[in-house]
Amino acid sequence: MSVEPLQAAGPVTYGQLVPVTVHFDDLDALGMLHNSRYPLLAERAWAEYWHGFGFGFDGDWAAAGDMCNVIKEMKVSYERPVTSAGHYAVHLWVERLGRTGLTYGFRLCSADGAETHARGHRVLVRLDPQALRPTPWSDRARTIAADLLRPEQADAAGADAA
C-alpha cells in the first residue's frame, strides 16, 4: 500500500509531508508517544516516500539497489510531546546528497506541518551488497533525492556543479 504525500502547504515550503498515524499502543505509560517511536515514524515515512517511486526491499540485498543502505548516524531532538493517538505527518527533506551518502532531515509534526513535535537527521550510506562497502547512488535515486534538497542546499549544489 502506498500513501500519497501531502501537499506542502502553510509552514512547509520545501521537502515533502508524509502522513503517519500514531496508534494508542505507541503511547507510553504517561500517555505520550514513546521516545523510540519518533525515529520509527520518520523511518516509515522515508520508506513510504521511496516506495512511491518503486524502490523497495524484499530481503534480497543484491536486488535491492539503492535500498541497500545503512544508517551511519541519527539524531533526534524532542521538542513537544505527542499526547494522543491520531493523524500526524513527517516532514522530510535532504540536507546533503553526496556520492555514496545522504543526510536527510525530518520533523514529526501535526498533519498540516504547523506544529513540530520532534526534529532530527539521519545519515545513510549506500552499500555494495557483496563487498558491504560504500558505493554510489544510482542516477535515478540522485534525481529523486535532489527534488527534496532544502533550498539552501539546492543552491549550494547548483553552485558546485557550475
Side-chain angles (χ1 to χ4, degrees), residues 63-88:
D66 292 291
M67 296 305 282
C68 183
N69 59 69
V70 294
I71 300 170
K72 180 177 180 181
E73 175 182 296
M74 181 167 210
K75 178 184 177 194
V76 180
S77 295
Y78 303 95
E79 298 184 12
R80 173 183 222 136
V82 170
T83 58
S84 64
H87 299 287
Y88 296 86

Side-chain angles (χ1 to χ4, degrees), residues 55-57 60-69 126-129 135-138 141:
F55 290 85
F57 177 70
D60 181 357
W61 283 111
D66 292 291
M67 296 305 282
C68 183
N69 59 69
R126 179 162 186 234
L127 295 180
D128 174 279
T135 194
W137 299 103
S138 70

Side-chain angles (χ1 to χ4, degrees), residues 1-8 12 15-23 40-50 52 86-92 107-113:
M1 176 177 102
S2 180
V3 175
E4 288 294 314
L6 301 170
Q7 294 299 317
V12 177
Q16 194 68 240
L17 280 177
V18 178
V20 295
T21 301
V22 171
H23 299 276
L40 177 67
L41 290 169
E43 168 85 14
R44 288 178 178 166
W46 186 246
E48 194 63 44
Y49 179 79
W50 284 95
H87 299 287
Y88 296 86
V90 175
H91 176 201
L92 298 172
R107 289 185 312 123
L108 177 62
C109 52
S110 56
D112 64 0

